[in-house]
Amino acid sequence: MSFTDKAKNKMEQMSGAAKERIGDLTNNERMRAEGATQQSEARAKEGAKDLGQGARDTFRG
């Protein structure tokens, strides 16, 4: 995973965390859920790309 991809995923995670906190503060369940979902998706992308990189490196061996 390139540095740019990692930075984008971290920004998505931070944005999701901010949405979730704003949802908590304003008692807005929809925003809270959107933030949690955004964070989860960013973490999943990061994990999937890391797994793909590891598999590719294994086969190049």
Side-chain angles (χ1 to χ4, degrees), residues 37-50:
T37 301
Q38 189 172 2
Q39 288 181 73
S40 296
E41 288 174 352
R43 284 189 201 113
K45 275 192 236 176
E46 188 174 316
K49 286 186 180 183
D50 287 342

Side-chain angles (χ1 to χ4, degrees), residues 5 7 10 15 31 40 42 48 52:
D5 289 336
K10 286 295 177 191
S15 176
M31 185 172 278
S40 296

Side-chain angles (χ1 to χ4, degrees), residues 2-61:
S2 72
F3 174 77
T4 305
D5 289 336
K6 286 182 181 183
K8 285 180 184 178
N9 282 333
K10 286 295 177 191
M11 288 301 296
E12 283 293 316
Q13 287 179 18
M14 290 172 37
S15 176
K19 278 185 184 179
E20 191 172 10
R21 287 186 191 125
I22 290 169
D24 284 339
L25 292 172
T26 60
N27 203 23
N28 184 335
E29 188 62 35
R30 181 177 176 197
M31 185 172 278
R32 188 179 314 155
E34 284 178 12
T37 301
Q38 189 172 2
Q39 288 181 73
S40 296
E41 288 174 352
R43 284 189 201 113
K45 275 192 236 176
E46 188 174 316
K49 286 186 180 183
D50 287 342
L51 285 174
Q53 180 71 33
R56 186 182 74 184
D57 291 345
T58 299
F59 285 110
R60 283 188 176 173

